[in-house]
Amino acid sequence: MADQGKVDPMHQFEVQKMFDMFHVGNHEVAFTTSAMWMVVAGLLLWVFMIGGMKRQLVPGRWQVAVEGFTGFISGMMNANIGPEGRKYTPYVFSLFMFILMLNVIGLMPLGLFGVHPFTVTSHFTITGFLAILSFSIVLIVGFWRHGLHFFSLFVPHGTPWWLLWLIPVIELVSFLVRPFSLALRLFVAMTAGHVLMKVFASFIIDGIAAGPAVGLGVGIPSMALMVGISGLELLVAGIQAYVFALLTSLYLNDAVNLH
Amino acid sequence: MPQISQFAESWYAASQIFWVLLTFGFVFFVIGRGMLPKIEATVDARDRKVADDLAAAKAAHAAADNLEESYRQQSDASRAAAQKAVTDAKDKAAKDAEKRLAKVDAELADKLSAAEADVNAARTSAMAEIESVAAEAAGDLVAKLSGVKVAAADAKAAVKAVLHG
């Protein structure tokens, strides 16, 4: 190979088949690296939540941590939707915790232990599935609660009558864009962050390959930047999970309270 | 970009959707629907307990305030009663003393007037005796000096005239 030292920053996003399972039509369903990390995330989350199930009046540290997360989401639902938001807290909480867990697992330096780390949320098949799920719930709740009156969402309060031909079109488009923006925001943020880290890492490797002077000159600043970016990515992992849950709760608010 | 290029592989999309459905379904039904409500119930119960305890503490505080107030009122009342009893007793004692003093005064005044009467009587009788003694002495003196016997009645009249002016 001509470019042996070169690091392909996209290779990390490749899903690898671990073993075949069964066929649906002519589609094969396999257990993949992506599936493995989703199972791991689900199990870790389950273990984490078990620690909060002691149900003590005076909670221990673990219970406080779990109650901190649940209180965060139920507080958000309460603030955005009101008392009726409690009904949807299980969904938004699951969404938030699942995405957060997948984002954080993707950032763990598991390569050091010989495991191939993989960020499940960097695939828009996954984020798209979750976004369409959220969007479908919004549609179902909206039409179930308000019937055809749900369409009044496209005519905001205070719309002048002479703009009635334009505003609903704009509102409809912005409404229909929601699942795409929801899915793409998370996918792009995760992908971009991981590409960035891989690129800086490749600078260090390429620098060292070019000799000690270049290696030190390029490697040390790159390493410093890597440390900063790693911290930033941890922040992004939390923020993106929060944004996904927050937007879902805001969209649910439209469906529950219309305006 | 594998996220796009891997769509070409027949297993990619199906596996991704199948596994996210399965794992997210597990997270939603077991964790979201199963565990979250219990944790929220614990938090709610704790919040309610704290609120109840605070209310109970507030009520106890108010009760203590009431108790203190009634105690204060009671002690004020009993202090006033005690003061009244003391004043009454003082008044009564003063009245008694006055009465007794008046009685003693009256007795003393009686005794004094009786004694005065006695003294007056004694003085009159003493005066009468002095008159008769003086008349006798005057009669004796006249007889000794001049040898003239003076009649007792004359001597008496002369002494009376001298004594009474």
Side-chain angles (χ1 to χ4, degrees), chain A residues 74 77-78 81-93 137 141 144-145 252 256, chain B residues 28 32-33 36-37 40:
Chain A
S74 51
M77 297 302 280
N78 218 30
I81 303 180
E84 283 185 89
R86 280 193 88 102
K87 253 191 293 184
Y88 308 100
T89 308
Y91 173 69
V92 177
F93 180 75
I137 289 172
V141 169
W144 180 61
R145 286 180 67 101
L252 271 170
V256 173
Chain B
F28 176 63
R33 300 285 297 267
L36 177 73
E40 278 190 318

Side-chain angles (χ1 to χ4, degrees), chain B residues 77-108:
Chain B
S78 51
R79 188 174 300 134
Q83 232 150 22
K84 193 168 171 293
V86 167
T87 352
D88 282 359
K90 249 187 214 164
D91 279 2
K92 196 162 166 268
K95 247 176 237 162
D96 280 1
E98 226 167 73
K99 222 183 267 169
R100 253 185 308 191
L101 211 64
K103 205 173 148 202
V104 169
D105 267 356
E107 276 172 15
L108 282 179

Side-chain angles (χ1 to χ4, degrees), chain A residues 10 14-15 17 21 27-28 30-32 34-35 38 42 49-50 52 55-57 63 66-67 70 74 86 90-91 94 98 122-125 129 133 191, chain B residues 1-4 6-7 10-12 14-21 23-24 26-28 30-33 35-36 38-44 46 49:
Chain A
M10 296 317 261
E14 219 171 273
V15 179
K17 205 174 357 176
M21 287 169 63
H27 290 286
E28 189 186 343
F31 191 75
T32 60
S34 169
M38 282 193 273
M49 293 297 281
I50 283 175
R55 315 194 65 177
Q56 286 167 331
L57 187 64
Q63 196 183 338
V66 174
E67 280 171 5
T70 63
S74 51
R86 280 193 88 102
Y91 173 69
S94 307
F98 190 55
S122 66
H123 277 249
F124 60 78
T125 37
F129 173 86
L133 194 62
T191 304
Chain B
M1 188 170 228
Q3 288 98 321
I4 296 168
Q6 282 198 305
F7 270 104
S10 73
W11 53 268
Y12 169 74
S15 308
Q16 289 281 72
I17 300 298
F18 174 80
W19 281 106
V20 75
L21 200 64
T23 49
F24 187 68
F26 165 78
V27 168
F28 176 63
V30 175
I31 293 169
R33 300 285 297 267
M35 299 164 105
L36 177 73
K38 285 180 191 150
I39 292 169
E40 278 190 318
T42 310
V43 175
D44 287 350
R46 178 183 310 129
K49 178 107 172 61

